[in-house]
Amino acid sequence: MNRETLFNEFLDELGSQSLARFGLNIFNNSYGALVESGKLTTNIFKEAKQHGKNPNGFGQLFETIHVGKQNIQNVKNKTGVYTFTTDELAAINRVYKGEKFDTLNEEKTKTITANYSEKEMKKIINNPNLKGLMKTNHPIADTVSIDKNGKIIELSQLKAISGSIFSKEQDRYFDAIEKVKLTSVTVDEETYNKAKLDIKKLEEKIKIAPEEKKEILKERLQEKQKKFNYLKKNGNNHTNPQQAVNNVIKIQIGESIENIYMTGGSDAIIVALSTFASGVIYEMRSEFIDKNHEDIKIRIERILKAVLKNSSEAFTRGASFGIVDSLVVIVSQLLSKIGGHLKNLWGNLRKSVKSIWNAICDFISGKIKSKKELIKIILKSLFSSIIVAFGVILEEKIFSFLSPILTPLVASPLSIAISIFVCSFGVIAFSHTIDLTLDAFFGICAAAEMAKKRKEEIQKIYNDIMPKMLENQEKLKNFTNNYLYKLKINEETNFNGICKSMEKDDYVLANQYIIAFAQEFEIKGLFTAQKEFDNFMLDNKTLKI
């Protein structure tokens, strides 16, 4: 392998390691957002069935959509924050422990198993910070948000009500905030605007109120403003269950399209950069080292054409893989009993499967021409996915070493770059080891195939000839016996004739019997007349039989 090919292979692996390091998307975690949109759709179908006929069920729909949207954005932006409803935590606890629900048992169980694997459920259940929140219809909190370490960072009550948020019935939630049991009260846009208008009306009322009532009204205003400051505005409330279902389906479709586009775009950008880098190096070498002088415009055009061609092919491969992501999420929703396990399995495998997918696409398109090369790339991809985990550990060690020397702002991207470089070099070294192993393996296979073909040829000849030989064996035996018998009869006849002729001194007749006897044994060149014998005797030639 020449240096140029090795360098190009190294650049390709740098791209693969970079994509794997950033979850196949250099922009954001679009696949994680897609998974969360699938969870939201599954949850809203269950909520619509459970609360659709309840006049006050819109609050539950509002709560589910709020949490789903929040998780989509947090996962997409890699904040490490995840939000649950307390009702969902209670349901996860029941399903994990194998306990049945009082109503809609099958529907509720399938919703949880479609969204979470057993491993994920176990992690949630064993979080000590969530223990007291696993209650259906929790008296204080509706939602809880935890950071990547499982620590609670927000407890919120969600309200979508037809009355006033400032009513005495709602005071317990504001009291809970003051007692640091809640961090906020989240309301829909309509409730928020109604509270804002309520304050504005009270301010207008104070302006025209008599002096003796102003003080009381001002105290009431301060109390409402204090409560208003605790409010967090969310989106519109969904009073119509069907409207809620339609909206979340649109969200999932949107996230699917974004994931397809982002996965394809990330692949295209990485390939474009590696193609551009290798193209520039090739053109510089051609111009300055090999002295193949050419117009710079032609060289730039050649580089850009290669970049455009390779990146468009990469976008197609990446986008098609994004479609597979979408199908996995949809199938996990349909196979609700194992949906959580399926998504968890795919999430763990997709980084390594992506390189294998690229190899299969190239094999189908003809870019990869042999099975040996395909196997090599698949093995290389599996090793590459394994070394990604090592890269994360290496990155942390490099970061801890560089942080005291450089600022964390500089140390972080530098440690990522170094770990990706080291891992890429390791994968290339491994791939060349694979080359040697596969060469030996395919050499053995070729020899075995050759031996198999020879065996098949011998078997074919045997199958063709042996039946005929067996068929003619009896004929050959009869022919031989007849020939020997005839030879024996002729031999006896001629020998007796010779003896009788010699007894009668008839040498001419004896000579004829001798010649006939010799012909039976295919002996030629004997004397056939006296004259031939006399001439031979007078000559000095040697007798040749």
Side-chain angles (χ1 to χ4, degrees), residues 460-483:
K460 185 176 184 301
I461 293 170
Y462 178 84
N463 292 337
D464 289 343
I465 293 176
M466 283 307 293
K468 293 179 181 178
M469 289 183 68
L470 292 172
E471 183 183 340
N472 294 325
Q473 185 177 11
E474 192 64 29
K475 293 179 180 179
L476 184 63
K477 182 179 178 182
N478 293 334
F479 174 80
T480 305
N481 290 337
N482 291 336
Y483 177 78

Side-chain angles (χ1 to χ4, degrees), residues 23-41:
L24 307 184
N25 185 346
I26 60 176
F27 305 105
N28 55 39
N29 185 8
S30 59
Y31 172 70
L34 171 61
V35 170
E36 290 307 317
S37 70
K39 288 182 181 180
L40 173 57
T41 304

Side-chain angles (χ1 to χ4, degrees), residues 223-423:
E223 185 182 349
K224 286 188 175 183
Q225 285 176 331
K226 184 180 179 181
K227 290 178 180 178
F228 185 79
N229 291 333
Y230 291 140
L231 298 181
K232 287 179 68 176
K233 183 174 71 170
N234 194 255
N236 296 325
N237 182 21
H238 296 282
T239 56
N240 184 339
Q242 190 57 50
Q243 181 189 13
V245 169
N246 292 340
N247 284 343
V248 297
I249 290 175
K250 289 178 183 177
I251 290 172
Q252 183 171 343
I253 292 171
E255 294 301 330
S256 296
I257 294 171
E258 183 176 346
N259 182 60
I260 291 169
Y261 178 78
M262 290 295 184
T263 306
S266 297
D267 216 344
I269 288 174
I270 293 295
V271 169
L273 290 173
S274 62
T275 304
F276 180 78
S278 61
V280 168
I281 291 170
Y282 171 81
E283 297 297 346
M284 289 178 68
R285 178 182 175 181
S286 175
E287 179 70 27
F288 299 109
I289 298 177
D290 298 337
K291 305 297 182 182
N292 297 325
H293 301 300
E294 200 170 1
D295 189 353
I296 190 169
K297 290 182 179 179
I298 296 175
R299 294 189 182 278
I300 292 172
E301 185 180 351
R302 188 158 51 224
I303 292 172
L304 293 178
K305 280 183 178 179
V307 168
L308 184 62
K309 179 178 178 293
N310 292 347
S311 59
S312 62
E313 290 175 356
F315 180 85
T316 302
R317 290 197 307 265
S320 62
F321 193 76
I323 293 172
V324 175
D325 282 338
S326 300
L327 291 175
V328 169
V329 172
I330 292 170
V331 170
S332 69
Q333 290 173 284
L334 297 174
L335 303 177
S336 52
K337 288 186 178 180
I338 59 168
H341 294 286
L342 181 61
K343 282 184 289 193
N344 186 54
L345 178 65
W346 179 249
N348 291 330
L349 292 178
R350 66 189 293 269
K351 291 178 183 179
S352 57
V353 172
K354 176 61 170 60
S355 296
I356 297 172
W357 175 267
N358 288 349
I360 292 171
C361 288
D362 287 344
F363 185 73
I364 293 170
S365 66
K367 191 177 283 188
I368 294 176
K369 302 192 181 295
S370 67
K371 291 181 180 178
K372 175 188 171 183
E373 191 177 352
L374 178 63
I375 293 171
K376 174 193 169 184
I377 292 175
I378 290 174
L379 292 175
K380 176 183 169 185
S381 300
L382 292 173
F383 180 76
S384 179
S385 66
I386 293 169
I387 209 169
V388 168
F390 166 75
V392 173
I393 298 170
L394 180 64
E395 178 190 324
E396 290 175 355
K397 290 187 176 297
I398 294 171
F399 179 76
S400 62
F401 175 76
L402 293 178
S403 290
I405 305 170
L406 308 170
T407 62
L409 191 65
V410 176
S412 179
L414 191 59
S415 59
I416 292 173
I418 294 172
S419 65
I420 289 175
F421 184 89
V422 172
C423 290

Side-chain angles (χ1 to χ4, degrees), residues 201-218:
K201 285 180 179 179
L202 187 55
E203 288 173 340
E204 294 295 330
K205 190 175 181 180
I206 291 171
K207 290 179 182 179
I208 60 173
E211 288 298 325
E212 63 272 13
K213 291 185 178 181
K214 278 187 178 181
E215 195 62 34
I216 298 171
L217 291 173
K218 283 181 180 180

Side-chain angles (χ1 to χ4, degrees), residues 496-535:
N496 290 334
I498 292 170
C499 292
K500 289 179 179 180
S501 299
M502 295 293 288
E503 287 175 359
K504 295 178 181 180
D505 296 327
D506 190 350
Y507 297 108
V508 174
L509 183 61
N511 186 55
Q512 290 176 352
Y513 277 116
I514 290 171
I515 291 170
F517 184 78
Q519 284 177 346
E520 292 294 335
F521 293 94
E522 298 183 352
I523 298 173
K524 298 178 182 179
L526 295 180
F527 303 111
T528 57
Q530 182 67 38
K531 190 175 181 180
E532 287 182 14
F533 176 76
D534 293 341
N535 292 333

